[in-house]
Amino acid sequence: MKRDAYEVLGVPRDADERQIKKAFRSKARELHPDVNRHDADAEEKFKELAEAHEILSDPERRQVYDRYGHEGLSSRGFESPFQGFGSFSDVFDAFFGGAGDVFGGGGGGGAIQGGDVAVAVEITLEDAARDTQVDVEYDAVGLCEHCNGNAAEPGTPIRTCERCGGAGQLRAVTRTAFGQLVRNQACDVCGGDGKIPETPCTVCNGRGRQATRRKLTVDIPAGIADEQRIRLTGRGHAGERGGPPGDLYVLVRVAEDERFVRDGNDLVHVLDLPAPAAALGTSVTVPTLDGEETIQIAPGTQPGSVVTLRGQGMPSLRGRRRGDQRVLVNVMVPRNLSAEQREMLERFQETLGPHNLADDGERDSLFSRVRRAFG
Ligand SMILES: [Zn+2]
Ligand SMILES: [Zn+2]
């Protein structure tokens, strides 16, 4: 069963041409063969992606697909665009008319900017509350250091490709049920460079580029939120033919903290308090980002009451004052009473009068809050 083309590209059914192209490029980048050499799935994923793009980027084809699905296309002669290609790299290069094109360049010999790379890191809430650093490791395509990017074993000659005359591109014409399809493809002999080393570089196998493992220490500013991205300019894949490198995006995940729920720059801590303590009043210690802190619980504290610790929340990314920590009181009603406790509580209950249960002029009773929430 073939997956739905819209699902593969991750676009809505009414996506326009630009959305489709953009989705395709960004997904294709992640599957770049230089980075995914060891991932057997990457090739299949890329083929699936490219086919989905082929279908949705052609209005006629898309119409057929929308009405009749994959079957409708194959019965009208549409074939996956990969018949007759060799390795994954060939497929990738052929599809983009030169390996660099997917990274946003125009192809045809000009300078091409390198692609972006994304990595994810996870930090604790405490780390997110202060400036911190994390080490990241990632694979990025760079110039091969052995041949300095020119793909030839150092000291050996390089000649102009005869097949494409040095242009690096070939026109490919395919006949389909929808008419002629003309596409510029990278030259299959020189791979788009227009030049052929007589002795290919032994380190990069003549590609001139190579994925290497890179390590980097990244500064993470205090107050960062979960799922925010930090962009490091120029730390992505190397450019081609003198183009600038791409960027590195560090996706920061802030791990959940069992003590706090984050609400913007505020932190919410739930304090479990036995009912007698809530009635009598007490002092308790609660965790804060700065260590434990003792707070006073007033006599007659009601379920859902909030004690606010000003300025004890998360710092603001923009450097303004810190948020607050809100301590939300959860009054625990005792369970599993012994006979003795039960008797005491029954006696206690008989003594209760209306004044014990009045809301004491307190405007913010649970009922008024419920009314605000649902009214
Ligand atoms: Zn090399
Ligand atoms: Zn050539």
Side-chain angles (χ1 to χ4, degrees):
M1 266 290 284
K2 278 189 176 177
R3 279 215 297 154
D4 176 64
Y6 292 94
E7 188 188 313
V8 170
L9 282 168
V11 294
R13 300 202 86 82
D14 59 355
D16 61 22
E17 239 174 275
R18 272 188 45 203
Q19 278 173 291
I20 288 167
K21 192 168 177 179
K22 209 175 138 199
F24 175 56
R25 280 172 178 268
S26 81
K27 285 193 185 275
R29 267 180 204 149
E30 292 163 17
L31 298 169
H32 190 284
D34 285 350
V35 174
N36 285 286
R37 265 177 312 181
H38 309 296
D39 181 2
D41 284 349
E43 178 169 354
E44 281 316 305
K45 282 188 208 149
F46 179 75
K47 286 183 177 177
E48 185 185 42
L49 182 69
E51 190 176 335
H53 173 257
E54 283 286 277
I55 293 166
L56 298 187
S57 60
D58 180 297
E60 246 179 289
R61 229 174 279 160
R62 183 173 175 182
Q63 226 172 39
V64 173
Y65 176 74
D66 283 346
R67 295 182 71 174
Y68 307 108
H70 285 295
E71 299 235 311
L73 283 171
S74 55
S75 69
R76 283 165 179 75
F78 173 71
E79 293 187 330
S80 149
F82 300 107
Q83 315 301 329
F85 286 114
S87 73
F88 182 20
S89 295
D90 291 343
V91 168
F92 200 88
D93 291 358
F95 201 79
F96 288 106
D101 188 52
V102 67
F103 299 140
I112 294 167
Q113 179 166 18
D116 297 333
V117 179
V119 290
V121 297
E122 187 173 273
I123 61 173
T124 63
L125 186 69
E126 268 153 345
D127 282 338
R130 57 186 177 223
D131 291 326
T132 186
Q133 295 187 318
V134 288
D135 293 325
V136 297
E137 270 191 58
Y138 61 102
D139 288 320
V141 178
L143 284 189
C144 170
E145 285 175 9
H146 186 61
C147 62
N148 212 5
N150 68 24
E153 190 63 17
T156 64
I158 298 173
R159 59 184 166 82
T160 299
C161 175
E162 284 147 25
R163 168 103 179 211
C164 62
Q169 302 248 321
L170 294 173
R171 269 162 72 87
V173 181
T174 322
R175 280 179 197 286
T176 71
F178 306 105
Q180 274 195 356
L181 204 70
V182 181
R183 199 153 51 196
N184 278 333
Q185 293 187 340
C187 171
D188 56 353
V189 173
C190 64
D193 291 334
K195 288 172 280 190
I196 299 173
E198 297 215 325
T199 313
C201 167
T202 51
V203 172
C204 63
N205 291 323
R207 287 189 65 81
R209 293 148 61 78
Q210 224 194 352
T212 50
R213 198 92 188 133
R214 297 190 197 171
K215 290 183 188 183
L216 201 64
T217 301
V218 178
D219 291 315
I220 298 185
I224 194 150
D226 188 33
E227 300 277 316
Q228 273 187 308
R229 299 195 306 172
I230 296 172
R231 177 174 155 192
L232 293 151
T233 308
R235 298 291 191 159
H237 297 300
E240 284 195 83
R241 299 178 203 117
D247 301 329
L248 172 68
Y249 286 93
V250 180
L251 174 70
V252 180
R253 297 210 170 94
V254 180
E256 283 189 10
D257 189 303
E258 57 184 18
R259 302 165 301 168
F260 306 110
V261 175
R262 192 168 173 179
D263 178 20
N265 289 333
D266 288 351
L267 294 174
V268 179
H269 171 74
V270 176
L271 172 70
D272 291 336
L273 196 68
L280 296 169
T282 183
S283 67
V284 290
T285 54
V286 293
T288 75
L289 283 177
D290 311 307
E292 302 233 297
E293 179 147 333
T294 302
I295 61 169
Q296 300 304 316
I297 300 294
T301 289
Q302 301 296 312
S305 298
V306 173
V307 179
T308 301
L309 304 174
R310 296 254 169 246
Q312 306 250 73
M314 296 294 286
S316 155
L317 255 190
R318 294 189 200 90
R320 293 198 302 258
R321 64 173 283 274
R322 276 173 69 173
D324 300 329
Q325 177 172 327
R326 303 201 297 269
V327 178
L328 178 63
V329 179
N330 177 32
V331 175
M332 312 282 286
V333 176
R335 274 188 269 238
N336 306 318
L337 302 179
S338 68
E340 191 191 358
Q341 286 172 323
R342 199 178 167 80
E343 194 201 322
M344 284 194 290
L345 206 51
E346 276 165 358
R347 270 194 289 144
F348 172 71
Q349 184 175 238
E350 280 160 19
T351 69
L352 283 178
H355 66 287
N356 293 125
L357 303 170
D359 76 1
D360 205 15
E362 192 187 308
R363 288 281 72 105
D364 213 22
S365 70
L366 188 55
F367 181 68
S368 60
R369 265 176 284 151
V370 167
R371 184 149 50 196
R372 271 208 306 278
F374 296 102

